[in-house]
């Protein structure tokens, strides 16, 4: 394989890392958004105010796109430095899936958190803690991928 083709394969891995993570963020914000809208509908139907804090749950899955971008930039640099294209492609796809799954899971949890907060009006910090634990998976994936790349 020519050096140019190898670098291009590495760049495909870079874009895969960001793209798959971003797809998970999109699905996660979609799921959390559905939960928030349902919670607001429930509260407004009861004549109660719709808390702005529910946006916290909706926006939480977006950070995985940023993690994917950080990894993408790193992988592009490694591709230009002649690292193994297969390793870069593999790390990009695997990390993207891990970060994307974390974002999607975070969105699903966020939807339940929005519903629970609307139902009880309590527990916001507990809900954030659960969302943070799900976020930790994506952080681990990013850090371990960066370590694997050297």
């Amino acid at each position: 394989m020519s050096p140019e083709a190898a670098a291009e394969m590495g760049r495909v891995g870079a874009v895969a890392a960001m793209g798959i993570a971003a797809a998970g963020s999109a699905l996660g914000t979609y799921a959390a958004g559905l939960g928030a809208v349902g919670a607001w509908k429930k509260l407004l139907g009861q004549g109660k105010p719709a808390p702005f804090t529910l946006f916290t749950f909706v926006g939480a899955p977006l950070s995985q796109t940023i993690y994917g971008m950080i990894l993408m930039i790193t992988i592009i640099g490694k591709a230009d430095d002649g690292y193994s294209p297969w390793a870069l492609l593999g790390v990009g796809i695997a990390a993207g899936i891990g970060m994307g799954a974390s974002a999607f899971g975070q969105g699903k949890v966020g939807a339940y958190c929005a519903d629970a907060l609307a139902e009880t009006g309590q527990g916001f910090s507990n809900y954030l803690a659960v969302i943070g634990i799900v976020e930790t998976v994506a952080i681990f994936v990013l850090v371990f991928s960066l370590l694997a790349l050297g």
Side-chain angles (χ1 to χ4, degrees), residues 6 20 22 53 56 78 80 88:
I20 297 169
T53 55
T56 306
K78 300 293 183 183
D80 292 339
L88 297 177

Side-chain angles (χ1 to χ4, degrees), residues 112-125:
Y112 284 99
C113 291
D115 182 61
L117 186 62
E119 188 77 26
T120 66
Q122 299 175 346
F124 181 72
S125 59

Side-chain angles (χ1 to χ4, degrees), residues 35-146:
V37 169
W40 286 322
K41 177 183 172 187
K42 182 189 304 183
L43 290 168
L44 293 172
Q46 297 170 355
K48 297 178 183 176
F52 188 80
T53 55
L54 297 184
F55 277 112
T56 306
F57 304 140
V58 178
L62 294 174
S63 57
Q64 282 83 339
T65 299
I66 295 168
Y67 303 151
M69 182 198 67
I70 292 167
L71 187 58
M72 177 186 74
I73 292 167
T74 302
I75 292 174
I76 287 171
K78 300 293 183 183
D80 292 339
D81 290 342
Y83 277 63
S84 165
W86 290 105
L88 297 177
L89 181 64
V91 167
I93 291 171
I97 291 170
M99 289 184 275
S102 172
F104 179 65
Q106 200 172 41
K108 294 288 285 185
V109 169
Y112 284 99
C113 291
D115 182 61
L117 186 62
E119 188 77 26
T120 66
Q122 299 175 346
F124 181 72
S125 59
N126 292 347
Y127 306 143
L128 282 183
V130 172
I131 286 176
I133 291 168
V134 178
E135 174 96 13
T136 302
V137 173
I139 294 169
F140 285 163
V141 169
L142 173 62
V143 170
F144 298 154
S145 295
L146 291 173

